Amino acid sequence: LAKTTQPISMDSYEGQEVNITCSHNNIATNDYITWYQQFPSQGPRFIIQGYKTKVTNEVASLFIPADRKSSTLSLPRVSLSDTAVYYCLVGDDRGSTLGRLYFGRGTQLTVWP
Amino acid sequence: DTAVSQTPKYLVTQMGNDKSIKCEQNLGHDTMYWYKQDSKKFLKIMFSYNNKELIINETVPNRFSPKSPDKAHLNLHINSLELGDSAVYFCASSDSGTSGAYTFGSGTRLTVV
């Protein structure tokens, strides 16, 4: 399992762009990088997934450098409702390794008015 | 039209009792999971089932017994509940052909007193 390291917490203000970086030095060739968001009293929600370069969807962007040893989740113009825990997962859990992805402690993002 | 639904949402019970948590998904996924989230917010895989077959059993006490009657259901039965079993239990599902793209239920908060 590729372990990940991300900041325990981050603070931001409404309207700012937030970048959360995740380190995954031992990422394997077949591994994907996936980010989840979890609000209090809810289950984690899939945000974005990438393999290399940049991926963008309606919620966030994911930047992955060429060496893939880190990744950055970018949330444009955050609002109070973006306050949540963000998890970075790295791995390939297809086939016999279904479910073998390490969630870690995540990053608690707090957005202030 | 909830994608992954689990019941009950809250469960308070005494030590030594036996309880069950039910989970159903209507996404057509072939894989389902049970996760445990403790008070420190660590999210740990307990079990995964693919097409009703057990794939992962992550060093969970045998007091925990999952049952998958069909691909859309994965229930969790817990015997002889202990104080340390208090946690939030999440059910999730995915398509085994993708990696890391899980859909989680809203969780069951189990409190053993």
Side-chain angles (χ1 to χ4, degrees):
Chain A
L1 292 178
K3 286 291 183 71
T4 59
T5 302
Q6 48 182 126
I8 293 175
S9 64
M10 293 183 69
D11 291 288
S12 181
Y13 291 98
E14 283 190 290
Q16 291 188 333
E17 178 184 74
V18 171
N19 295 311
I20 306 175
T21 297
C22 180
S23 297
H24 28 81
N25 291 319
N26 58 343
I27 188 170
T29 302
N30 293 334
D31 286 349
Y32 290 84
I33 300 162
T34 312
W35 285 80
Y36 280 80
Q37 174 191 56
Q38 185 178 24
F39 297 115
S41 302
Q42 293 187 26
R45 181 177 75 109
F46 175 94
I47 300 177
I48 197 167
Q49 185 181 73
Y51 182 79
K52 62 180 179 180
T53 63
K54 176 184 174 182
V55 180
T56 297
N57 61 23
E58 65 278 5
V59 176
S61 294
L62 179 59
F63 297 92
I64 306 169
D67 66 6
R68 304 201 326 126
K69 293 185 183 300
S70 67
S71 59
T72 299
L73 175 73
S74 181
L75 305 172
R77 294 190 299 279
V78 294
S79 64
L80 297 177
S81 63
D82 292 315
T83 294
V85 177
Y86 292 82
Y87 295 95
C88 165
L89 279 67
V90 172
D92 179 6
D93 77 325
R94 291 169 294 181
S96 62
T97 58
L98 281 166
R100 293 195 188 282
L101 293 181
Y102 175 69
F103 268 82
R105 293 191 66 174
T107 297
Q108 170 67 59
L109 171 65
T110 303
V111 180
W112 302 94
Chain B
D1 57 345
T2 304
V4 179
S5 59
Q6 50 183 112
T7 55
K9 189 169 177 64
Y10 300 97
L11 188 52
V12 180
T13 187
Q14 291 186 327
M15 279 194 302
N17 284 349
D18 303 338
K19 291 293 179 185
S20 292
I21 306 172
K22 295 186 176 182
C23 180
E24 175 181 3
Q25 56 96 3
N26 62 5
L27 297 167
H29 289 162
D30 60 359
T31 306
M32 296 186 71
Y33 312 84
W34 278 109
Y35 281 83
K36 178 181 180 180
Q37 188 167 44
D38 60 23
S39 57
K40 295 184 179 179
K41 304 301 183 185
F42 281 109
L43 201 60
K44 296 180 182 176
I45 182 75
M46 298 173 69
F47 302 102
S48 72
Y49 269 75
N50 175 249
N51 287 316
K52 301 195 300 176
E53 287 193 28
L54 180 66
I55 303 296
I56 291 177
N57 181 345
E58 282 291 293
T59 61
V60 177
N62 57 15
R63 297 183 295 105
F64 291 78
S65 54
K67 283 190 171 50
S68 182
D70 55 55
K71 286 195 309 181
H73 295 84
L74 180 62
N75 303 321
L76 183 65
H77 188 76
I78 316 170
N79 289 326
S80 303
L81 278 155
E82 301 176 357
L83 292 177
D85 297 331
S86 295
V88 181
Y89 293 84
F90 288 101
C91 177
S93 71
S94 73
D95 180 340
S96 61
T98 62
S99 176
Y102 309 136
T103 302
F104 281 82
S106 57
T108 296
R109 181 174 293 277
L110 172 65
T111 304
V112 182
V113 297

